Amino acid sequence: MTSTIFALSSGSPPAAIGVIRISGPRAGAALEALAGPLPAPRTAALRWLVDGRGDRLDRALILWFPGPRTATGEDLAELHVHGGRAVVAALQAALGAMDGLRPAEPGEFTRRAFANGVIDLAEAEGLGDLLAAETEGQRRHALAIAGGALSRQVEAWQQAILEASARIEAILDFGDEGDVDADEARPRAIADGVAAGVARLLAAPPAERLRDGVRVVLAGPPNAGKSTLFNALAGREAAIVTDIPGTTRDVIEAPIVLAGQPILLIDTAGLRDGDDPVERIGVARAEDALAGADIVLWLGDPGAAPDHPGLIRIGARCDATGHRVGVDLSVSVHAGEGMDRLRDLLIDHVRALLPREADLAVNARQRAALEEALEGLHLATSPDALLFAEGLRLARVALDRITGRAGIEDMLDGLFGRFCIGK
């Protein structure tokens, strides 16, 4: 029998209100033990809550949601109590003393929703991103995925592939009987259309940029002004600044938001050859950061700048050195010259790298499944009808993994472990 779980689903106490959720077959019995007869479904009622000895614990709003039309797909109860630490602790102790009840594990409510078919895997991932969203763009995208936008698109592709599969299988099995349309043009056109849609989604910016921020790496030789500019953009003294070459020896990161756009600023060690083994490690890490950069702010000789599609050549300390030739922008942190233009330029570059508001973006797991689906659809371009049918089958299996219908058990613990206890 499935156990009944409970957890605080609101913020940590103290708070004005604490919401405790109970989910499972004994949720109704637990609510009756605490508050007496069950209220009308989905109707709030004000009750005294008592423990097993009959001692009053709190006067609270209670709600009863009989399954399966609930957030978890099973019987669910909620206690809206006063959010003090003692109140919440007393109620959790009272629930823990009841037979058949136990505290929930991280993400267990959402995992039950997935197991009971209330949400699919893509929607669960969107919900996880929604809980972690810090910018408006992150919120909008996560809300769309949690609301099923990606799942609906995948389902439409699955239905189209099923139609193409049915048509080609009918041709393979009964094409010589005269009462079956033996023309393969229709199923092949369907497969081509799905392949084009999958390719468009794969060409869109990845969800990781929106979730983790666009990686902006400051690079150049020692004493080029990288750390000073880094601190100015970060809005705090995140990196140590001195006149001694080689002060920065490790990668320093600072997440920021500019005009609502998520950015991960990365300061790096000065690039140069040297005998110091520690500095060489720092240079190697700087080179690794450059390799993974979305945008590079290069502070150094413009002619020595790396070949990077997101390169912006910066002439630093223009108040002292003047405006340099061959740079995209001259700035002075101390005088403030060029800093507003640099931020505007960064924002323009970042926006070009992020999904547009109306676009879907997929994460690495979803992208891998889509790439496999596209490989199957490319196989389906074979003139051999048997290979065509096999390619459609492979594409269908790959798309199933996006919504969680196949091959997902090893990954579930990692996903739902991201959630808070009460989610």
Side-chain angles (χ1 to χ4, degrees):
M1 182 178 181
T2 302
S3 58
T4 297
I5 57 174
F6 65 89
L8 178 69
S9 291
S10 55
S12 299
I17 299 293
V19 178
I20 298 174
R21 306 172 87 188
I22 311 165
S23 183
R26 294 193 57 80
L31 188 58
E32 285 184 303
L34 286 171
L38 295 177
R42 296 172 176 80
T43 301
L46 184 63
R47 300 280 183 84
W48 278 103
L49 305 181
V50 299
D51 62 15
R53 299 186 303 272
D55 294 335
R56 288 182 171 181
L57 302 176
D58 192 25
R59 187 168 171 80
L61 286 177
I62 64 171
L63 293 111
W64 166 239
F65 304 95
R69 292 194 306 111
T70 67
T72 58
E74 55 192 14
D75 288 350
L76 183 73
E78 286 188 359
L79 312 174
H80 293 233
V81 303
H82 293 94
R85 290 189 179 90
V87 172
V88 171
L91 282 162
Q92 289 178 322
L95 290 168
M98 296 181 187
D99 290 338
L101 269 70
R102 63 169 176 81
E105 297 176 357
E108 193 170 3
F109 286 91
T110 305
R111 184 161 186 164
R112 290 192 177 198
F114 168 73
N116 293 324
V118 178
I119 60 175
D120 64 28
L121 191 56
E123 291 167 335
E125 288 174 314
L127 182 56
D129 289 339
L130 185 61
L131 295 174
E134 295 181 353
T135 71
E136 182 64 10
Q138 291 168 341
R139 182 192 69 81
R140 288 178 181 274
H141 179 262
L143 196 61
I145 300 298
L150 177 60
S151 302
R152 288 189 293 272
Q153 177 62 82
V154 169
E155 183 180 0
W157 287 333
Q158 289 172 318
Q159 292 302 315
I161 293 174
L162 281 173
E163 179 186 345
S165 295
R167 287 177 178 271
I168 197 64
E169 294 290 350
I171 292 171
L172 286 169
D173 293 341
F174 309 109
D176 57 351
E177 296 187 6
D179 56 348
V180 171
D181 183 2
D183 185 4
E184 296 181 13
R186 173 61 180 164
R188 291 187 180 278
I190 291 173
D192 289 344
V194 174
V198 173
R200 282 194 297 271
L201 185 52
L202 284 171
E208 283 78 11
R209 278 186 188 157
L210 188 61
R211 184 188 65 206
D212 302 331
V214 174
R215 298 176 66 86
V216 177
V217 173
L218 288 81
N223 271 26
K226 299 184 298 298
S227 296
T228 301
L229 182 58
F230 176 82
N231 288 341
L233 291 172
R236 60 188 177 91
E237 295 299 313
I240 298 172
V241 177
T242 74
D243 293 330
I244 303 172
T247 297
T248 302
R249 295 196 171 199
D250 205 348
V251 170
I252 302 172
E253 298 182 348
I256 65 169
V257 176
L258 287 181
Q261 310 304 312
I263 295 173
L264 183 63
L265 281 179
I266 302 173
D267 190 21
T268 61
L271 298 173
R272 67 173 177 180
D273 296 326
D275 297 327
D276 186 331
V278 176
E279 187 175 359
R280 285 203 302 270
I281 294 173
V283 170
R285 292 182 179 179
E287 291 170 345
D288 289 341
L290 273 172
D294 296 311
I295 298 172
V296 174
L297 299 184
W298 176 256
L299 288 77
D301 180 2
D307 183 14
H308 191 283
L311 180 68
I312 302 176
R313 299 174 181 84
I314 302 295
R317 302 169 178 160
C318 67
D319 57 329
T321 62
H323 296 269
R324 295 171 59 186
V325 176
V327 300
D328 299 302
L329 184 64
S330 294
V331 302
S332 168
V333 171
H334 297 297
E337 185 175 348
M339 291 301 297
D340 288 341
R341 283 179 292 165
L342 174 58
R343 291 187 180 94
D344 290 342
L345 188 61
L346 264 181
I347 291 166
D348 289 342
H349 277 64
V350 167
R351 282 178 175 155
L353 293 171
L354 291 175
R356 294 175 299 179
E357 186 172 316
D359 290 344
L360 288 176
V362 293
N363 61 32
R365 185 194 70 83
Q366 296 159 353
R367 180 174 295 274
L370 287 171
E371 288 171 347
E372 288 186 27
L374 194 57
E375 288 178 9
L377 291 166
H378 286 160
L379 178 62
T381 61
S382 170
D384 186 311
L386 284 172
L387 287 176
F388 177 42
E390 175 63 10
L392 293 176
R393 185 192 69 81
L394 292 173
R396 193 168 63 248
V397 170
L399 290 176
D400 282 343
R401 285 202 294 275
I402 294 177
T403 52
R405 294 177 182 168
I408 48 85
E409 190 59 36
D410 291 342
M411 164 269 302
L412 289 179
D413 290 335
L415 166 65
F416 294 114
R418 294 169 48 201
F419 289 71
C420 56
I421 295 294
K423 196 64 182 174

